[in-house]
Amino acid sequence: MKINKKIFIMSISLFFMLNANAQRIPITTSSCTSGSRFAHFSVKLFLTLPDRQNSRIETGAINETVDQIAVLEDEEACNSLQNFISSNQKFDDINQSIIGTDKQMYFYKTDNFYYVFWAKKPEFDDRYGTGPKSLFIVIKNDLSQFWEYYF
């Protein structure tokens, strides 16, 4: 009986030690954002809606297709875009204002462009929402030019 108590106490002690050490492991966060159905749809609308034809012509995105749309997963490109956003006071103010809200910044790409915009977090995709138009930024993939639109 004494051996069973010692084994039980040792097991509990070992469990607490392992649990305490597991909480000390740093969680790395990616500078890239996850995708969402609504966010993908926003880029798709930019590339397909007839009333956004002039915007596509202005940016040179006329040959970009829906099949090219992808969530940006390249850490280096995400860091470059984060720096780009931070260096522009207007964009940085928007980015700071959404902290703690139901919105987040999204990074999408096609072959020649990046698309940066703020929209609902993926967990809120199924909730209907109205409100003012949101800033939608189209950036050349070499970060040399950008265009601002409100959709």
Side-chain angles (χ1 to χ4, degrees):
M1 191 80 157
K2 285 187 176 187
I3 295 176
N4 288 340
K5 282 184 181 180
K6 286 183 182 180
I7 291 174
F8 178 73
I9 291 173
M10 293 288 281
S11 300
I12 296 294
S13 300
L14 182 63
F15 172 76
F16 283 114
M17 286 187 338
L18 291 174
N19 191 27
N21 285 334
Q23 292 176 0
R24 292 184 189 145
I25 297 172
I27 298 173
T28 57
T29 57
S30 171
S31 60
C32 296
T33 54
S34 61
S36 84
R37 185 174 39 89
F38 179 77
H40 185 274
F41 188 64
S42 296
V43 178
K44 182 179 178 181
L45 289 177
F46 175 75
L47 295 177
T48 58
L49 277 181
D51 69 334
R52 298 191 182 157
Q53 178 76 16
N54 291 338
S55 302
R56 289 192 299 275
I57 292 170
E58 179 185 7
T59 60
I62 197 75
N63 294 324
E64 304 298 301
T65 65
V66 172
D67 296 335
Q68 296 171 351
I69 300 171
V71 175
L72 186 60
E73 296 174 345
D74 177 19
E75 283 290 328
E76 188 175 321
C78 288
N79 287 332
S80 296
L81 286 172
Q82 286 281 9
N83 291 336
F84 179 85
I85 296 299
S86 297
S87 66
N88 184 306
Q89 185 65 42
K90 177 181 180 180
F91 302 157
D92 192 47
D93 288 347
I94 293 170
N95 204 29
Q96 296 302 318
S97 72
I98 64 163
I99 294 173
T101 66
D102 65 344
K103 293 187 176 189
Q104 75 176 36
M105 182 169 39
Y106 288 96
F107 298 125
Y108 275 77
K109 68 174 185 160
T110 54
D111 291 348
N112 300 307
F113 295 93
Y114 295 121
Y115 307 91
V116 179
F117 56 97
W118 294 264
K120 290 189 260 182
K121 293 178 180 176
E123 57 266 26
F124 298 106
D125 269 358
D126 59 343
R127 295 185 187 167
Y128 179 75
T130 61
K133 296 180 178 184
S134 297
L135 182 62
F136 187 89
I137 308 166
V138 180
I139 306 169
K140 283 190 87 137
N141 60 1
D142 62 359
L143 304 180
S144 63
Q145 286 182 290
F146 70 93
W147 299 266
E148 299 176 34
Y149 299 104
Y150 286 88
F151 300 126

